[in-house]
Amino acid sequence: MTAPQKSVDVFDDKTRELAREIVARFPEGKERSALLPMLHLVQSVEGYVSPAGVSFCAEQLNLTKAQVGAVATFYTMYKRRPTGEYLVSVCTNTLCNVLGGQEVYDTLSETLGVGHDETTEDGKITLEHAECLAACDYAPVLTVNYDFFDNVTPESALDVVGKLKSGQRPMPTRGARLCSLKETALQLAGFADEREGAVADGPAGDSTLRGVRLAQQHGISPAGFDINTPIPTPSKEAAK
């Protein structure tokens, strides 16, 4: 294997130290498994995975740039060109679309003057279609740097992006307070955000629990189901 070229020096000693911490999480001989969190790490520095970021990962993990690039282009969370401080993702998949998701997206696109995967001139907001944000019970939804804003309308979505552009950080419907995309990427690399209010938890919402409550109300359960009975593990013979 040809030795990877040295990365352009845009990553300081602190970033290199964090990269070593990431590699140390994995067993000897399995260091290439550190590639996913390391891609998030380089994105936390530049706001996207640049050619220099690809080279940095290749250098740290003794991989080729082609190997790193193949992974970075497979996952949509790794951005390959400069991205705004806030990534606004609007779900336009089936349920969200039926409930107004496309209208939300179109309103934001017209107001911001950008289309899919484009960034406003001030560098604040990148807008994107999202195929599914796994929150059908709160449709239509959008996320800002992967934090949820539920049951959005064109008006409420405009309020969110208006606050972002004015320097505010509106509180998501669920979860902790907003981070910038770079701050989010650092968390996704596996490093805790120590800021006050950066971590939050809470119970499932009414929409999420609606199905189980209806089942309990009407005495519905799978035939023969016993919550105290462990789910059996298939034997090796049965798995053949």
Side-chain angles (χ1 to χ4, degrees):
M1 182 184 297
T2 304
Q5 299 178 359
K6 291 287 185 180
S7 61
V8 178
D9 192 17
V10 297
F11 303 102
D12 60 17
D13 290 342
K14 177 61 177 177
T15 304
R16 293 177 180 278
E17 179 184 339
L18 294 178
R20 289 190 292 270
E21 288 185 31
I22 290 173
V23 173
R25 299 171 190 165
F26 298 89
E28 185 177 354
K30 303 292 184 181
E31 292 86 355
R32 67 183 300 159
S33 297
L35 179 55
L36 296 183
M38 197 167 294
L39 284 166
H40 285 300
L41 176 65
V42 300
Q43 188 156 279
S44 77
V45 176
E46 296 190 280
Y48 71 115
V49 179
S50 68
V54 169
S55 296
F56 177 84
C57 292
E59 173 192 329
Q60 296 298 312
L61 300 174
N62 196 30
L63 298 173
T64 66
K65 289 189 287 187
Q67 288 172 316
V68 175
V71 174
T73 55
F74 183 83
Y75 296 102
T76 59
M77 290 181 77
Y78 301 124
K79 305 304 179 186
R80 296 309 309 276
R81 57 184 180 181
T83 304
E85 184 178 0
Y86 299 104
L87 175 66
V88 176
S89 310
V90 182
C91 182
T92 55
N93 213 332
T94 307
L95 184 57
C96 281
N97 199 353
V98 167
L99 295 175
Q102 186 65 50
E103 184 181 357
V104 170
Y105 175 86
D106 291 342
T107 299
L108 292 182
S109 178
E110 181 179 354
T111 301
L112 295 173
V114 296
H116 171 68
D117 201 26
E118 294 180 350
T119 302
T120 55
E121 290 185 0
D122 60 5
K124 280 281 187 181
I125 295 174
T126 296
L127 180 66
E128 68 174 8
H129 275 288
E131 278 302 303
C132 183
L133 294 175
C136 298
D137 38 355
Y138 297 101
V141 298
L142 66 78
T143 61
V144 178
N145 296 340
Y146 311 113
D147 279 314
F148 282 98
F149 291 83
D150 301 331
N151 304 123
V152 291
T153 63
E155 293 75 23
S156 66
L158 286 174
D159 181 64
V160 170
V161 299
K163 289 177 178 176
L164 294 174
K165 287 182 70 65
S166 69
Q168 301 178 62
R169 291 189 175 186
M171 191 67 186
T173 308
R174 293 172 282 142
R177 70 183 191 179
L178 280 184
C179 300
S180 70
L181 186 62
K182 289 182 179 180
E183 291 166 340
T184 300
L186 188 61
Q187 293 180 54
L188 292 171
F191 299 99
D193 189 335
E194 303 296 341
R195 296 172 306 131
E196 183 180 353
V199 179
D201 196 3
D206 289 338
S207 296
T208 303
L209 297 174
R210 179 64 174 160
V212 70
R213 286 172 176 165
L214 283 172
Q216 291 170 343
Q217 179 182 342
H218 296 284
I220 300 171
S221 65
F225 174 74
D226 181 356
I227 196 170
N228 296 312
T229 301
I231 299 174
T233 302
S235 66
K236 292 183 179 179
E237 289 298 321
K240 289 181 179 179

